[in-house]
Amino acid sequence: MDGTTGRLLVATPGLRDPSFRRTVVLVLEHTDGGALGVVLDRPLDVDVAAVLPDWHPHVSAPGVLFGGGPVGRDAALGLAGVPVAATAPPGVRPLTPGLGLVDLDAPPEVVAQGVRGLRVFVGYAGWSAGQLDQEIAAKGWIVVDALPDDPFARDPGGLWRRVLRRQPDEVALLWTAPDDPALN
């Protein structure tokens, strides 16, 4: 449990759960009671302007909603990059150094002035007490450090491969795993 908040969970090629296959999840909170995060690399075909038009001019490209996970698909969650040395702007609750949760009821213009990236997620990933620890121990996930721009990547579809490729040793080789190992 210790040390996963603010870090990335990278699905190993063997993780077959369709909700998390080949995903990168940013862990927002991990306590004794469970964990939650958002899937960073699942852009949806829904423009932010269609749901939250006032926020559309302020979100990072591509300007679409992201599928944050299979839980709470009827709610939106805003994530912003906050300069580490700066105080979070009104409407942003600091999560980890450099990241904060956005109150989507706050005035977008006020929030946008103090952030360096902004994404809106529909749903989130959630684990009950001990569940994520068990999945990590079973080698379903690799826990790695996040770079400041990972949550706001311009090409979110390629994030899984990029994050794996930058890892040391044999972990970096996982990015070459075929989508269907049976075809290898």
Side-chain angles (χ1 to χ4, degrees):
M1 170 181 61
D2 250 357
T4 55
T5 298
R7 298 182 76 198
L8 300 177
L9 301 174
V10 182
T12 61
L15 185 64
R16 295 289 186 210
D17 180 334
S19 295
F20 297 110
R21 191 170 185 291
R22 291 192 176 232
T23 59
V24 177
V25 176
L26 175 66
V27 179
L28 303 176
E29 181 178 78
H30 192 177
T31 67
D32 289 337
L36 68 94
V38 288
V39 176
L40 298 177
D41 53 347
R42 292 271 170 92
L44 301 174
D45 289 331
V46 179
D47 205 63
V48 171
V51 180
L52 297 166
D54 293 342
W55 285 98
H56 186 260
H58 307 289
V59 297
S60 301
V64 297
L65 296 173
F66 279 70
V71 181
R73 297 286 298 195
D74 59 345
L77 180 141
L79 183 68
V82 180
V84 176
T87 302
V92 177
R93 183 178 62 111
L95 259 175
T96 64
L99 286 175
L101 287 177
V102 176
D103 176 358
L104 294 172
D105 290 326
E109 312 75 39
V110 173
V111 172
Q113 290 177 21
V115 301
R116 60 170 175 70
L118 179 68
R119 283 268 156 83
V120 179
F121 298 88
V122 175
Y124 60 92
W127 294 267
S128 61
Q131 182 183 4
L132 180 57
D133 301 307
Q134 291 170 355
E135 290 180 15
I136 292 169
K139 305 227 184 296
W141 298 102
I142 300 167
V143 181
V144 302
D145 291 333
L147 295 180
D149 291 333
D150 286 341
F152 314 105
R154 285 191 164 284
D155 174 25
L159 188 62
W160 185 82
R161 290 187 186 276
R162 283 194 311 279
V163 170
L164 284 172
R165 194 172 30 225
R166 72 180 186 230
Q167 301 311 308
D169 306 319
E170 63 276 351
V171 173
L173 296 175
L174 293 176
W175 81 271
T176 64
D179 284 336
D180 183 356
L183 300 176
N184 194 11

